[in-house]
Amino acid sequence: MDAQSRGRADEIDPADQWVLNPQTGDYELRLPQSGGDSSRTPTPPGQRGSRRAGAVREGSGERRSGARDGGGRGNGPRREVPAQRGRRAANGPRGPEGSGPDVAGRRKRKQPKARRRKALIWTGGAMAFVLVGLSVGAYALYQHFNSNLSTVDVGDAGSKNVTSSGPMNILIIGTDKRTGKGNEGYGDKGSVGHADTNILFHVSADRTNATALSIPRDLMTNIPDCRTKQPDGSEKIIPGTKNVRFNTSLGQDGRDPGCTMETVKEITGLKVDHFMMVDFNAVKELSTAVGGVKVCLAHPVKDSKSHLDLPEGESKIQGEDALAFVRTRHSFGNQSDLDRIKVQQQFIGSMIRQMKSDDTLTSPTKLYKLANAATKALTVDKAIGSGTKLVSLAKELSKVDTKNITFVTAPVIDNPAEPKPITVVLHPQKADQLFAMMREDTSLTEVKEQKKAAKSKQDALLKGTKAAAADVRVDVFNGGDRAGAAQETVAWLQNDQGVPKSTNKANAPAKISKTTLEYAPNQADQARALAAMMGLPGSALKKGTTDAEGLQAMVLTLGADFKGAGVPITGPAKAPADIPLANAAKAECAK
């Protein structure tokens, strides 16, 4: 008897839905319609399929003869994906724990925990995939999820290969566009949708940690010129605007998510590799798909504006209640957008934990609903606009342990230009310190292995004798966005640091994100001296293979991380003590 002829889909062991395809070497999600044919596109869990000849008999390896075995597709032998096993009777006799076959002749299964580790593809380490939900991706479902996805062509703003080495930056944009069932009642019905919630998810190069940086929507900033694709395929440059709210980087004047990505780069110095954009429906549908998200309140809340009505203590919310929770501004703290950001961070952390729970991981039906709902609510850049690429990205992000995901908000102060401030500006010192840490890929959590490796690498390059400033020879190129940076640096080196043999070589052949210093083996003492002057990290030093000859100079190329002559390139080892940090693995109560 096959899975379909048992009469009820819930008689199938959920863990047995995941089987190894010997042709691909990958685990695939065996949904109820699939009997022995892995090439068929499965239907959602719970839908019944017809009984077919050629099904594997329950409890044996024998195959019934039938039309599919005799003729079918191709002439060569066909390797089948293992079929599902039925549940044993609850009271049936079986051998001792860990022994061989039970009295029915079937071998004792491994415990569910070990089986899940082997079979499931999980993205729980990635906060971004709380919104994406593609941890459930099985090869047979890719095409179905592809049809759900919406994409935007943002050109070079989102072109990084998902399996590329190095740090990765993904911008999560929550738009306030009131589309979707029931969302018109939230006000601002005709809104084109702005960048209302913004989280830059920075994943470290070694995938041991991640920083989730929230950027306030009311941050006053400069929005740069951005190139957008028009419906007819042509390109249009949207002129930049100075001293406006961050949330107008999307929607306003025809700006698309690529413009928001460029604005984040302008603020932080970090190039954004990809974006994922969701609307109100995403919160409602994803929270429902996982069976609700646990939240904790330090006091009861009844907010007439967001319609949030919850008691003190722990509650499990989904749908409209979940949306009300992340939207409310009048229930916590000083009723500002900054306090709402903290509540949103707590909600996302809780959803990560819920998605990693056994209740979610062992339910193919729940996982399917989660991925289906997520991809329908999701808009991404074309570089990750397919199920295959999103699952590849999910595998990369899944390497990050939840306990090493840190939430932080860009440090800000009230806007001094407003008599009664309703907007904010970046804190002049703390913001750049935090951004410098992210540019240097410094973890906000203790990752001992990474910290030790990074320290030993820098020690090896920066320790040793240093040449006198007068003996340092260097050609300076500008590979960043700061106009006149090369000349500014040369003037500083000559006048303030006593390096007369420095030369302005103008613009570099190409833009780079991080400053580099290339030197020959016999110039190591000069490189150490210049690194000390400029505050260069060991990772910026690039040692050549052959010695320099004659008056050959080192090559210093200033990147997007260059903030001005005399400003150290390297970031601090730790974030400023008074910047609030939250950990994705720890539950907190909203106050």
Side-chain angles (χ1 to χ4, degrees):
M1 178 181 294
D2 66 8
Q4 280 66 46
S5 57
R6 294 176 189 170
R8 292 187 344 177
D10 60 4
E11 290 177 353
I12 302 168
D13 190 332
D16 286 337
Q17 302 278 17
W18 294 86
V19 294
L20 179 67
N21 185 337
Q23 294 177 303
T24 65
D26 292 329
Y27 281 92
E28 298 180 2
L29 182 61
R30 171 70 69 218
L31 297 179
Q33 182 177 328
S34 0
D37 186 357
S38 66
S39 67
R40 295 175 63 89
T41 301
T43 55
Q47 293 185 12
R48 301 175 186 172
S50 60
R51 181 174 180 176
R52 298 195 302 267
V56 177
R57 287 178 183 160
E58 182 170 314
S60 77
E62 298 177 5
R63 178 170 297 279
R64 297 176 183 172
S65 61
R68 292 182 64 88
D69 291 335
R73 306 168 189 166
N75 298 321
R78 186 165 180 265
R79 301 181 66 187
E80 296 288 344
V81 178
Q84 297 159 327
R85 295 172 291 177
R87 291 188 186 275
R88 296 186 179 94
N91 300 319
R94 56 182 75 199
E97 185 74 23
S99 66
D102 59 16
V103 296
R106 288 174 289 197
R107 185 164 296 277
K108 184 84 170 74
R109 293 195 201 112
K110 295 180 181 179
Q111 293 302 308
K113 184 174 180 181
R115 181 171 57 236
R116 288 197 303 273
R117 284 200 302 266
K118 183 177 180 181
L120 295 179
I121 301 171
W122 171 239
T123 67
M127 181 280 304
F129 279 77
V130 167
L131 302 176
V132 181
L134 282 173
S135 58
V136 307
Y139 181 78
L141 296 177
Y142 286 173
Q143 291 304 317
H144 173 72
F145 293 145
N146 283 349
S147 65
N148 287 346
L149 284 168
S150 297
T151 63
V152 175
D153 186 350
V154 294
D156 293 339
S159 57
K160 185 172 183 176
N161 190 307
V162 294
T163 57
S164 298
S165 59
M168 186 177 299
N169 298 303
I170 304 167
L171 181 62
I172 313 300
I173 305 172
T175 175
D176 58 357
K177 193 172 184 179
R178 267 66 169 171
T179 54
K181 183 179 179 181
N183 295 329
E184 300 87 350
Y186 290 115
D188 201 12
K189 182 178 179 180
S191 172
V192 294
H194 299 98
D196 194 57
T197 298
N198 310 278
I199 300 175
L200 179 62
F201 194 67
H202 171 83
V203 186
S204 67
D206 61 7
R207 308 299 188 248
T208 64
N209 65 91
T211 298
L213 173 72
S214 292
I215 301 175
R217 67 175 191 178
D218 294 326
L219 174 68
M220 298 300 289
T221 189
N222 296 330
I223 299 176
D225 295 349
C226 61
R227 190 182 303 273
T228 62
K229 286 276 189 178
Q230 302 303 300
D232 62 1
S234 63
E235 291 187 346
K236 179 181 179 181
I237 295 179
I238 310 296
T241 311
K242 292 186 179 297
N243 198 35
V244 293
R245 293 189 186 192
F246 178 87
N247 68 341
T248 61
S249 64
L250 177 69
Q252 199 80 16
D253 301 324
R255 296 188 178 107
D256 65 14
C259 299
T260 310
M261 295 166 75
E262 291 295 337
T263 305
V264 171
K265 179 181 177 183
E266 179 91 358
I267 293 170
T268 65
L270 289 157
K271 177 175 170 53
V272 183
D273 301 305
H274 303 289
F275 85 87
M276 299 172 185
M277 184 169 66
V278 293
D279 57 16
F280 284 0
N281 280 345
V283 177
K284 294 193 290 187
E285 293 172 5
L286 292 179
S287 60
T288 301
V290 297
V293 177
K294 290 181 181 179
V295 297
C296 180
L297 277 65
H299 56 79
V301 169
K302 190 167 186 177
D303 181 8
S304 60
K305 294 184 180 294
S306 67
H307 309 297
L308 181 64
D309 187 357
L310 292 176
E312 178 181 348
E314 188 176 275
S315 298
K316 200 169 190 179
I317 59 175
Q318 63 185 38
E320 294 289 348
D321 287 338
L323 180 60
F325 184 80
V326 299
R327 289 188 68 244
T328 184
R329 283 192 301 159
H330 304 281
S331 304
F332 306 107
N334 61 6
Q335 303 186 18
S336 71
D337 187 54
L338 296 178
D339 287 296
R340 180 169 64 171
I341 286 174
K342 294 177 184 178
V343 171
Q344 291 170 346
Q345 291 173 347
Q346 291 166 14
F347 179 85
I348 292 170
S350 181
M351 185 174 274
I352 290 174
R353 295 190 294 274
Q354 175 62 28
M355 289 180 70
K356 292 193 71 172
S357 69
D358 289 349
D359 184 48
T360 301
L361 287 177
T362 58
S363 172
T365 301
K366 188 174 290 186
L367 290 173
Y368 177 91
K369 288 180 180 178
L370 179 60
N372 199 43
T375 49
K376 283 182 178 179
L378 187 67
T379 300
V380 301
D381 59 274
K382 278 198 170 182
I384 55 172
S386 72
T388 305
K389 291 177 181 178
L390 280 171
V391 170
S392 296
L393 181 58
K395 289 179 180 179
E396 284 295 300
L397 300 176
S398 67
K399 299 173 184 177
V400 182
D401 194 313
T402 306
K403 68 182 180 181
N404 292 330
I405 301 175
T406 303
F407 291 99
V408 63
T409 302
V412 295
I413 58 174
D414 287 341
N415 187 354
E418 296 175 348
K420 293 183 179 180
I422 57 174
T423 61
V424 294
V425 295
L426 291 175
H427 190 289
Q429 288 83 39
K430 295 177 185 178
D432 194 59
Q433 288 179 316
L434 177 61
F435 300 157
M437 288 186 69
M438 295 177 68
R439 291 193 296 267
E440 285 304 311
D441 203 19
T442 303
S443 174
L444 297 183
T445 56
E446 288 293 330
V447 185
K448 294 180 180 178
E449 294 79 4
Q450 180 204 40
K451 187 175 180 181
K452 183 177 179 181
K455 188 175 185 300
S456 63
K457 180 180 179 181
Q458 291 192 11
D459 285 349
L461 292 173
L462 300 177
K463 282 190 174 181
T465 58
K466 298 180 179 65
D471 295 330
V472 173
R473 292 180 178 273
V474 61
D475 291 338
V476 183
F477 290 83
N478 183 8
D481 298 321
R482 187 185 180 93
Q487 180 54 44
E488 178 186 352
T489 300
V490 168
W492 176 76
L493 287 171
Q494 293 177 351
N495 299 328
D496 296 355
Q497 302 299 309
V499 183
K501 300 170 186 175
S502 52
T503 306
N504 174 16
K505 293 293 185 178
N507 291 332
K511 299 284 187 181
I512 61 173
S513 59
K514 292 189 175 183
T515 298
T516 62
L517 176 61
E518 300 171 61
Y519 66 99
N522 60 343
Q523 294 174 323
D525 58 343
Q526 294 184 50
R528 287 191 287 267
L530 187 61
M533 296 177 201
M534 298 193 61
L536 293 176
S539 59
L541 274 61
K542 309 297 180 185
K543 184 179 179 180
T545 57
T546 58
D547 285 344
E549 297 181 1
L551 302 179
Q552 181 179 336
M554 300 183 295
V555 176
L556 174 68
T557 306
L558 305 172
D561 57 355
F562 176 77
K563 297 301 179 184
V567 179
I569 298 294
T570 185
K574 292 184 178 180
D578 53 351
I579 293 182
L581 304 176
N583 190 277
K586 297 179 180 179
E588 294 185 23
C589 290
K591 300 178 181 179

